[in-house]
């Protein structure tokens, strides 16, 4: 899973296509400063195969126009009532406090949990969890959790293909796995561990 930079990156539609062609299963489109029109223009530049990997963080109504993979709800947009599944779309949300894992959220496909490590995209956003408490809390949570960690990703200047190297960051756990994808330029987040 990759979450896009909040800012438009050079050749971003092409980079998204290449990552999806290389097997990226989920591409979270997170552009909080964009209008619905800007998001629709960006989505129109993606082929259908890439769109089927896109999870929308905003402008959920665009799922009626584009064949995206799912909808993501931020803390601000998360409904108070339990989620009801909207096949074929996946439903995800984000948690930033372990106490939030005590509530029943209904039909969530997965959830993001942060900050596990210091953020590279949000200045001053420091790791917030004691790892022993974290492991104990997530062990009882029934929804797959994806831990947000930092990484650097780029397309090498002399190549149109994405080259990446995975490094394990934590011990494997049924509910909490993460990895770093390292390269040399644009900061992004990446996650691994969904079923």
């Amino acid at each position: 899973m990759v979450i896009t930079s909040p800012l438009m990156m050079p050749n971003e539609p092409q980079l998204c296509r290449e990552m999806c062609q290389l097997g990226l299963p989920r591409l979270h489109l997170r552009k909080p400063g964009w209008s619905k029109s800007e998001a629709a223009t960006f989505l129109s530049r993606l082929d259908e195969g890439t769109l089927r990997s896109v999870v929308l963080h905003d402008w959920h109504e665009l799922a009626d126009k584009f064949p995206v993979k799912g909808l993501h709800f931020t803390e601000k947009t998360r409904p108070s009532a339990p989620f009801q599944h909207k096949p074929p779309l996946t439903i995800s949300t984000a948690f930033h406090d372990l106490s939030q894992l005590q509530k029943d959220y209904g039909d969530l496909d997965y959830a993001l949990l942060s900050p596990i490590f210091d953020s590279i995209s949000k200045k001053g956003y420091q790791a917030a969890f004691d790892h022993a408490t974290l492991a104990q809390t997530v062990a009882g949570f029934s929804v797959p959790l994806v831990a947000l960690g930092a990484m650097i990703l780029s397309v090498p200047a002399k190549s149109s293909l994405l080259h990446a190297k995975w490094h394990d960051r934590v011990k494997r756990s049924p509910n909490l796995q993460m990895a770093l994808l390292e390269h040399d330029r644009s900061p992004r987040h990446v996650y691994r561990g969904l079923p």
Side-chain angles (χ1 to χ4, degrees), residues 159-177:
S159 171
S160 64
L161 293 176
L162 175 71
H163 296 282
K165 185 168 131 186
W166 287 96
H167 292 284
D168 288 334
R169 293 290 292 166
V170 295
K171 292 180 182 176
R172 292 189 180 266
S173 155
N175 289 328
L176 182 63
Q177 297 176 2

Side-chain angles (χ1 to χ4, degrees), residues 125-142:
Y125 196 49
Q126 304 296 312
F129 308 114
D130 166 86
H131 285 249
T133 305
L134 175 65
Q136 184 179 18
T137 304
V138 301
F141 193 63
S142 61

Side-chain angles (χ1 to χ4, degrees), residues 4 20 29 41 53 57-58 70 73-74 76 85 96 112-114 119 128 133-134 147 158 160 178:
T4 65
C20 291
L29 183 61
T41 299
S53 296
H57 277 228
D58 293 295
F73 293 85
T74 65
K76 292 178 184 175
H85 204 261
H96 306 286
L112 308 181
L113 182 64
S114 76
S119 176
T133 305
L134 175 65
K158 295 182 180 179
S160 64
M178 92 187 63

